[in-house]
Amino acid sequence: MGSEMTAFQPTFSKPAHANPSIQALRAAARTRFEALGFPTRRQEAWRFVNLGAVITTEFAPERPGTIDVTPWSLPESLTLVFVNGRFDPERSNLTQIPPGMVIKTLADALEDDKGVAQSHLGTSAAFDDHPFVALNTAQDLEGAFIHLLPGTDVEKTIHILYAGAGKNTVSYPRTLIVAESGARANIVESYVSEDQSLSCPVTEVAVAQDASIHHTRLQEEHLSANHLGSVAVNLGSNAAYQLSSINLGAAVARIDINVSLNGAGADASLDGLTLVGGTRQGDHHVRIDHKVGECTSTQRFRSVLDDESRAVFTGRIVVAEGAQGTDANQSSKSLVRSSDAVAFNNPQLEIYTDDVRCTHGSTVGRLDEEALFYLRARGIGRAEAEGLLTLAFAAEVLDAIPSKEIRTRLENLITTRLGTETG
Amino acid sequence: MLEEFANREYEHGFVTDVEQESFPPGLDEDVVRAISAKKNEPEWLTQWRLEAFRHWQTMSEPDWPKVEYDPIDYQAISYFAAPKKKIASLDEIDPEILKTYKKLGIPLDEQKALAGVAVDAVFDSVSVATTYKEKLADVGIIFCSFSEAVQDHPDLVRKYLGSVVPYPDNFFAALNAAVFSDGSFVYIPKGVRCPMELSTYFRINASNTGQFERTLIVADEGAVVSYLEGCTAPQRDENQLHAAVVELVALDNAQIKYSTVQNWYPGDKETGAGGIFNFVTKRGICGKNAKISWTQVETGSAITWKYPSVILKGDDSVGEFYSVALTAGRQQADTGTKMVHLGKHTHSTIISKGISAGRGQNTYRGLVKVAKRAENARNFSQCDSMLIGSDCGAHTFPTIEIHNSSAQMEHEATTSKIGEDQIFYCNQRGLSTEDAVSMIVNGFCKEVFKELPMEFAVEAQKLLGVSLEGSVG
């Protein structure tokens, strides 16, 4: 194991799945996790995030638990709720599932005979050099499975809610989304908790030719919780994937996003917003692989820092040899509202071919005094003016979320949070 | 025509046949002591070298740069080589060496008639001649070889040696501290504006000899100096290691401008064999209201590993970094800068232009750090990469660490192919593709070239043209 003095010793259950290939995958992942150990700050990818609280707390799986999830639920949606990693049918809503769509638990999907879940599991989320993806893969693989058959256009929002109940509990939610050619859907993933807990979720998304997925990922865990999540996406030709990763909760929130553009004409558009205060840490770690030519990608990441918080953005664009005609853009901006907060920006380009257009821009700064003055000259108090300008800064990311309900709720939440945290 | 340029032999690739007094290959404490003894160094310096050597033994070679090369056998390198004859005046210089300089275009024996550039020419490890010293001495400027400075100005050397780049800083800096052979020393007294551009030409010669330069430039309060460094090296089959250290100290209100044109042998076009390994630590420290400006044009070397940095310690100090790095053939460059803002109201500017052609791999790696006390720090960074040909690579790894909310920093980077429409536009107007590319690339680098002193700017443009020709298809 990489680090000494670890109180958190993950446990591994016996593989329940009858399928030998799943068993083999879990065993390989476990071996890999045991070889990698917990990351240390000497590792470049984990240099800016302090996992001390994660490693020194004795987390243990505990189930079942109860938690009121109504504040986060979306009434009109197809909903799958998991509490402490276990499916909760009572809180879920799976009525009126449109034709051409499969929505069920991953455990059930892995048991069925069609093999879609099996063949896609582990294909996007590589665990070779990511200890927490390995840890997740070695677990029970409980979570949501969504399969969109060719041409299926789902109008309803699909909502997957992972809730952590109780203190010092750990869960490893696993989500698998498979969109076949021409399918479209709007999927919302929420992570919530009520106490100091740990969640290590992995979400795999496979978007086939001409399919289009909008993925809203809301991390609203308890402010003392720990969240070490990964999103891994594979895109086929002319596929479109849009992500809005909203990072609001948890004391330590690290989200790895890996997108691979495997077919010509694929487009990935990734937005992220991190809001941190207190001594909390938020880290978006993005990698986009342009494996073939004629693909486009856009990244827009924003962070707002208060108090003694820390926000990290690492974004790497890798353009493979021969991926001619790539167009990749990245912008990361940090709004630092306290002199004790620390912002780290690591925009990275790795380009192995010539016919490309890649840009990145990064800024760190505080609120514009002139804009504040303008608002205050019109009778708006300083705190309110700051809130307004900060909301405007975040709006670029929030506006891309398709669900108006979520947008409104987040706007209200952010306004209150900014008000209470800055005094 | 392109083929012709591509297959062109390295212009400066020749070997001067001068009898060399070299140590046998190998490195241990005795070698360090012997180097020190050879240079008749005081005890404190010998001890400093030994401490550095002992520390170096505990370190491991960095593996984070994005470059690939066969492991270096540090015991297979000879750590000292000196031309045998002792030199008292220019007339006594070995005619072979003088000829070498002439081939390189440094007319050492005519230089007094030239544009007022004092040259401290380094041939292998010992300074051969230093001119214009008297003229500079009139205004109190010390410009001499490092070994002379150790003899004549031990207090100054002792005060500033290792003050910017301490020996434990990194693997190559520690190695340099242990075995550094010679280099240049400059001291500009208070309030003096150096009347001419100071310049030194480095040259690696003698097979199997690493060269470990150490340069120390101290600009006392209110002093102003511009220093030029240029390098060429003869063609060799074995890789030659160069691990230099440059330390700049700009005290309050002082200004140092350090310009480099580097065109060492880049190695065989196909295999990359024989090129120079250039692992350099360059750093400057600014006092109050001081300014340090690095300008570099890197076109040579098989591997370049170099991050000229500025520590903005004093309030209101300014750091600048202007760089053009070109990699063609099999060249690899991992270069950039570090701007560490410690003082209040400190400003830094980074302009980096990377050009990759052939199978070259060009990496910009940089750090902008604003410390907690650095109120109102300001940084602007721009890293542009141009790609010519589909087998090359351009990479950007900037790191931005902001510990103070009043900081304003901006970073921009673009990577793009050389503009087809621009070439087409030029072609339409009767310019050949070759000329068009040269024009476009020179335009791309203009922001950096304009920072170079005149004669360097001319050389740099030529160099770029020569290095690129053959890569454009």
Side-chain angles (χ1 to χ4, degrees):
Chain A
M1 299 283 276
S3 42
E4 317 87 53
M5 302 296 293
T6 53
F8 172 40
Q9 299 290 347
T11 51
F12 302 90
S13 67
K14 276 224 169 104
H17 304 286
N19 191 302
S21 69
I22 302 295
Q23 283 187 29
L25 180 74
R26 287 185 58 187
R30 181 175 175 176
T31 313
R32 191 64 198 145
F33 173 74
E34 282 166 349
L36 288 168
F38 288 110
T40 68
R41 291 181 75 173
R42 292 187 63 83
Q43 283 159 262
E44 184 65 28
W46 297 88
R47 198 152 72 87
F48 302 101
V49 53
N50 185 355
L51 294 177
V54 175
I55 291 162
T56 54
T57 310
E58 283 182 63
F59 293 107
E62 187 188 294
R63 50 186 72 176
T66 50
I67 177 172
D68 178 20
V69 295
T70 42
W72 300 287
S73 51
L74 298 170
E76 293 296 300
S77 66
L78 289 165
T79 309
L80 280 174
V81 177
F82 294 81
V83 178
N84 286 350
R86 177 162 291 188
F87 181 54
D88 186 333
E90 274 177 35
R91 293 184 173 82
S92 302
N93 172 21
L94 293 176
T95 52
Q96 294 177 315
I97 297 174
M101 172 187 181
V102 177
I103 177 167
K104 54 164 91 170
T105 68
L106 183 60
D108 286 350
L110 289 171
E111 293 297 322
D112 82 11
D113 52 1
K114 287 189 191 124
V116 177
Q118 257 175 51
S119 60
H120 281 91
L121 188 76
T123 52
S124 309
F127 54 73
D128 282 349
D129 51 7
H130 198 298
F132 295 106
V133 173
L135 181 57
N136 177 292
T137 310
Q139 298 293 336
D140 290 335
L141 301 169
E142 282 184 292
F145 172 71
I146 292 160
H147 181 202
L148 305 168
L149 296 173
T152 311
D153 191 340
V154 183
E155 243 178 69
K156 271 192 182 179
T157 302
I158 302 163
H159 190 202
I160 309 162
L161 200 155
Y162 292 106
K167 195 179 160 99
N168 292 351
T169 57
V170 56
S171 58
Y172 307 95
R174 182 81 176 205
T175 311
L176 179 60
I177 299 163
V178 180
E180 304 224 18
S181 56
R184 309 174 73 86
N186 173 21
I187 298 167
V188 179
E189 229 187 329
S190 294
Y191 293 91
V192 303
S193 55
E194 56 174 10
D195 208 331
Q196 184 186 355
S197 57
L198 169 65
S199 57
C200 298
V202 172
T203 304
E204 286 187 281
V205 187
V207 190
Q209 193 180 342
D210 300 319
S212 164
I213 292 292
H214 194 290
H215 184 187
T216 307
R217 190 184 192 282
L218 306 171
Q219 188 277 109
E220 298 179 71
E221 305 242 21
H222 190 261
L223 294 186
S224 67
N226 301 283
H227 184 92
L228 306 166
S230 278
V231 179
V233 185
N234 268 320
L235 298 182
S237 51
N238 293 319
Y241 174 75
Q242 228 184 321
L243 172 72
S244 303
S245 173
I246 311 295
N247 198 5
L248 298 179
V252 177
R254 155 76 173 229
I255 299 161
D256 283 68
I257 301 163
N258 290 294
V259 179
S260 184
L261 302 155
N262 305 327
D267 174 64
S269 170
L270 312 179
D271 291 344
L273 173 66
T274 296
L275 205 68
V276 279
T279 56
R280 300 199 301 279
Q281 312 172 54
D283 184 352
H284 265 123
H285 198 93
V286 182
R287 180 185 166 118
I288 294 189
D289 275 284
H290 281 263
K291 296 240 170 94
V292 298
E294 311 299 336
C295 293
T296 49
S297 70
T298 315
Q299 296 174 57
R300 269 190 308 191
F301 283 81
R302 303 286 179 265
S303 55
V304 180
L305 297 88
D306 280 305
D307 310 322
E308 292 163 50
S309 62
R310 171 186 281 248
V312 187
F313 169 73
T314 303
R316 182 175 293 203
I317 300 170
V318 183
V319 180
E321 229 168 283
Q324 303 283 17
T326 292
D327 191 339
N329 299 300
Q330 180 192 71
S331 127
S332 65
K333 293 183 185 172
S334 298
L335 177 56
V336 186
R337 310 198 328 151
S338 143
S339 57
D340 295 315
V342 189
F344 299 91
N345 276 311
N346 309 296
Q348 304 173 338
L349 297 174
E350 217 176 297
I351 293 156
Y352 296 93
T353 194
D354 68 334
D355 190 8
V356 299
R357 211 182 69 83
C358 293
T359 62
H360 68 196
S362 174
T363 61
V364 179
R366 57 180 170 194
L367 287 174
D368 184 359
E369 282 298 329
E370 278 184 37
L372 277 173
F373 178 78
Y374 179 90
L375 291 174
R376 296 189 67 192
R378 273 142 191 85
I380 297 167
R382 186 168 182 103
E384 197 186 340
E386 282 181 0
L388 271 173
L389 289 173
T390 309
L391 194 62
F393 176 79
E396 244 184 301
V397 171
L398 296 179
D399 286 351
I401 298 174
S403 158
K404 187 165 184 285
E405 217 173 335
I406 296 175
R407 274 202 316 266
T408 316
R409 188 169 64 77
L410 290 177
E411 276 169 21
N412 291 336
L413 189 80
I414 291 169
T415 316
T416 345
R417 270 275 288 283
L418 294 174
T420 52
E421 281 187 357
T422 54
Chain B
M1 177 177 191
L2 301 183
E3 283 301 303
E4 188 187 314
F5 278 110
N7 300 327
R8 187 161 162 170
E9 289 296 301
Y10 181 68
E11 244 187 316
H12 300 316
F14 43 79
V15 178
T16 315
D17 194 12
V18 182
E19 227 182 309
Q20 298 273 344
E21 184 194 12
S22 299
F23 284 6
L27 181 57
D28 55 26
E29 289 202 6
D30 290 339
V31 170
V32 175
R33 277 205 186 86
I35 293 170
S36 193
K38 208 134 194 112
K39 302 187 148 294
N40 196 21
E41 283 174 357
E43 183 57 22
W44 65 265
L45 191 51
T46 314
Q47 286 310 320
W48 190 75
R49 283 175 181 273
L50 286 170
E51 279 169 36
F53 176 69
R54 285 171 199 140
H55 190 83
W56 177 73
Q57 285 179 307
T58 67
M59 300 172 97
S60 50
E61 210 174 314
D63 58 2
W64 49 262
K66 204 174 165 47
V67 293
E68 279 169 25
Y69 54 90
D70 292 330
I72 300 166
D73 182 356
Y74 293 93
Q75 295 303 334
I77 298 170
S78 166
Y79 287 86
F80 189 82
K84 245 182 173 173
K85 291 180 194 166
K86 295 279 172 225
I87 286 110
S89 79
L90 280 179
D91 306 333
E92 287 175 39
I93 288 180
D94 195 320
E96 280 285 320
I97 296 177
L98 285 181
K99 242 159 85 194
T100 310
Y101 285 138
K102 271 184 191 152
K103 280 196 215 167
L104 279 175
I106 318 166
L108 194 70
D109 48 356
E110 304 169 33
Q111 53 175 292
K112 285 190 179 170
L114 277 166
V117 177
V119 174
D120 176 12
V122 178
F123 185 89
D124 273 22
S125 307
V126 170
S127 290
V128 178
T130 305
T131 51
Y132 272 96
K133 255 168 111 173
E134 300 89 356
K135 207 170 164 186
L136 292 170
D138 286 347
V139 284
I141 294 173
I142 304 165
F143 177 37
C144 61
S145 74
F146 207 94
S147 358
E148 278 176 75
V150 170
Q151 303 303 326
D152 303 342
H153 312 282
D155 297 342
L156 277 175
V157 174
R158 193 170 183 175
K159 185 170 175 193
Y160 293 109
L161 177 70
S163 66
V164 189
V165 182
Y167 66 77
D169 190 81
N170 68 66
F171 184 81
F172 296 109
L175 179 64
N176 177 287
V179 300
F180 74 87
S181 36
D182 212 334
S184 302
F185 176 81
V186 179
Y187 175 79
I188 316 288
K190 268 184 201 173
V192 171
R193 178 178 281 269
C194 185
M196 62 186 83
E197 309 261 6
L198 301 180
S199 158
T200 175
Y201 277 77
F202 293 90
R203 206 168 141 61
I204 296 180
N205 208 312
S207 179
N208 228 2
T209 313
Q211 191 160 359
F212 302 93
E213 303 293 340
R214 188 135 195 140
T215 299
L216 176 57
I217 299 176
V218 182
D220 212 325
E221 289 171 26
V224 178
V225 62
S226 168
Y227 189 90
L228 319 177
E229 176 201 353
C231 318
T232 64
Q235 184 162 358
R236 283 287 172 195
D237 283 322
E238 240 172 289
N239 280 305
Q240 291 177 308
L241 174 67
H242 183 96
V245 170
V246 177
E247 294 181 284
L248 307 185
V249 181
L251 298 179
D252 296 356
N253 302 312
Q255 285 185 28
I256 301 176
K257 185 181 171 75
Y258 194 104
S259 314
T260 309
V261 171
Q262 189 260 105
N263 61 335
W264 281 339
Y265 180 53
D268 187 87
K269 253 193 156 35
E270 291 307 314
T271 62
I276 305 293
F277 289 3
N278 188 24
F279 301 144
V280 186
T281 309
K282 288 183 167 181
R283 193 176 302 152
I285 189 162
C286 283
K288 273 183 198 148
N289 203 26
K291 177 178 173 184
I292 288 179
S293 174
W294 296 102
T295 308
Q296 61 171 27
V297 177
E298 302 279 332
T299 60
S301 292
I303 297 173
T304 304
W305 180 98
K306 177 175 176 184
Y307 315 93
S309 311
V310 184
I311 301 168
L312 299 155
K313 192 180 173 200
D315 295 350
D316 304 298
S317 54
V318 176
E320 291 175 344
F321 175 75
Y322 298 95
S323 167
V324 168
L326 182 140
T327 53
R330 280 275 182 178
Q331 282 176 281
Q332 306 173 62
D334 193 311
T335 183
T337 185
K338 287 196 251 182
M339 292 289 173
V340 181
H341 293 255
L342 300 177
K344 297 185 174 76
H345 316 294
T346 46
H347 289 217
S348 62
T349 307
I350 300 170
I351 308 284
S352 168
K353 306 281 181 182
I355 302 147
S356 306
R359 304 176 76 165
Q361 296 291 331
N362 205 328
T363 305
Y364 170 83
R365 189 185 301 277
L367 170 72
V368 176
K369 183 170 180 169
V370 176
K372 208 162 155 22
R373 290 176 298 108
E375 289 290 325
N376 293 317
R378 183 85 178 82
N379 164 267
F380 175 78
S381 306
Q382 191 179 340
C383 308
D384 296 329
S385 303
M386 186 180 272
L387 296 150
I388 304 171
S390 56
D391 297 327
C392 58
H395 320 293
T396 324
F397 302 102
T399 298
I400 300 151
E401 276 186 47
I402 308 296
H403 296 258
N404 186 305
S405 67
S406 64
Q408 241 197 78
M409 66 76 39
E410 294 158 70
H411 178 96
E412 282 175 17
T414 61
T415 302
S416 56
K417 191 185 178 181
I418 191 162
E420 297 275 6
D421 43 355
Q422 290 173 331
I423 295 175
F424 179 71
Y425 181 90
C426 293
N427 283 161
Q428 254 191 337
R429 274 145 190 83
L431 291 165
S432 69
T433 303
E434 185 91 338
D435 288 342
V437 168
S438 178
M439 273 174 65
I440 293 164
V441 170
N442 272 307
F444 177 71
C445 302
K446 202 175 166 191
E447 271 173 286
V448 174
F449 286 161
K450 74 173 203 282
E451 296 297 321
L452 286 169
M454 232 291 276
E455 63 269 39
F456 257 33
V458 173
E459 190 184 341
Q461 283 190 21
K462 271 194 209 152
L463 255 180
L464 217 59
V466 170
S467 311
L468 268 177
E469 279 160 349
S471 328
V472 184

